[in-house]
Amino acid sequence: MEHKSQGILINLAGNGNYKNPDAVEKVIRYITRTNRQDKEDLIAWGGLGVTEFAGVEEVIRQFHCVQGEYCRKGEFGRRMDHEVFSLSEEAERDILKVPIDLDGMARDMARDIYEEDRCQVVYGIHRPDKSSGRIHIHFGINTVDFETIRKRRENKRKTKEREARFGRIVEEKIRGCSERK
């Protein structure tokens, strides 16, 4: 059986991005739309490994606390990984038709990252806008593992594997909601 793509995962933390000390705050505020920009596209946001109910300021503080435990000679490197999962046209159509709890789906995706890498994760679900024609989910991932206090290592293979796992989460949500109808 041929596997159809439910979306694409784009890793934005490439060459030299997100190394500045203010990267944590900037990425989290962008994802949660608390960066004072006039965008009305936020559907929901949440996080794992953080007390999201305490608000964005507290989430940012908690990311910094974990990073404060990381010791290394030389530069810190990337402070955040920023990934975007953009739904395929077919998946978006199915999700809107059923309808599916997008927050629950995004939380399941964030849980996948959290459990796999043991890193704090903040997610935000955004409606389509001029630059993105699809519903998409941003993930801000702390680059420090909160258990080992080691840096998270990311590469193209891991991103592709996570994209496939995210696709399965979307498929399961669509199938589950369709079966309940």
Side-chain angles (χ1 to χ4, degrees), residues 15-150:
N15 304 331
N17 293 338
Y18 310 111
K19 288 185 175 183
N20 293 337
D22 63 352
V24 169
E25 180 173 4
K26 283 184 174 181
V27 171
I28 291 174
R29 288 197 180 285
Y30 177 80
I31 289 171
T32 61
R33 294 301 198 231
T34 56
N35 59 349
R36 296 187 175 98
Q37 291 196 0
D38 282 342
K39 288 207 167 199
E40 299 293 324
D41 64 342
L42 182 68
I43 295 171
W45 76 273
L48 276 86
V50 294
T51 51
E52 62 190 335
F53 62 86
V56 173
E57 294 293 330
E58 181 61 17
V59 169
I60 292 166
R61 190 190 71 74
Q62 291 172 6
F63 268 62
H64 284 299
C65 283
V66 170
Q67 289 183 0
E69 295 300 311
Y70 176 70
C71 295
R72 165 182 182 181
K73 293 179 183 174
E75 290 185 23
F76 187 92
R78 266 192 342 273
R79 295 176 181 276
M80 291 289 286
D81 282 332
H82 182 188
E83 298 181 346
V84 182
F85 186 78
S86 182
L87 292 169
S88 70
E89 183 178 348
E90 184 178 64
E92 183 176 295
R93 186 176 49 247
D94 290 345
I95 284 170
L96 295 174
K97 184 172 40 176
V98 175
I100 288 177
D101 170 20
L102 289 170
D103 186 51
M105 185 176 76
R107 184 169 291 278
D108 287 349
M109 292 173 171
R111 186 175 294 110
D112 179 90
I113 297 169
Y114 177 76
E115 290 175 354
E116 183 80 19
D117 296 334
R118 295 176 314 275
C119 292
Q120 297 161 307
V121 182
V122 171
Y123 66 87
I125 309 154
H126 298 178
R127 288 181 187 88
D129 61 16
K130 293 175 199 152
S131 63
S132 166
R134 306 259 172 274
I135 292 173
H136 54 283
I137 306 165
H138 289 261
F139 298 94
I141 307 154
N142 196 338
T143 56
V144 178
D145 177 323
F146 61 81
E147 285 183 356
T148 66
I149 312 301
R150 291 194 174 130

Side-chain angles (χ1 to χ4, degrees), residues 145-160:
D145 177 323
F146 61 81
E147 285 183 356
T148 66
I149 312 301
R150 291 194 174 130
K151 289 293 286 274
R152 174 181 193 253
R153 300 290 176 221
E154 188 59 27
N155 59 46
K156 289 180 182 181
R157 180 186 55 79
K158 283 184 172 186
T159 301
K160 278 291 182 199

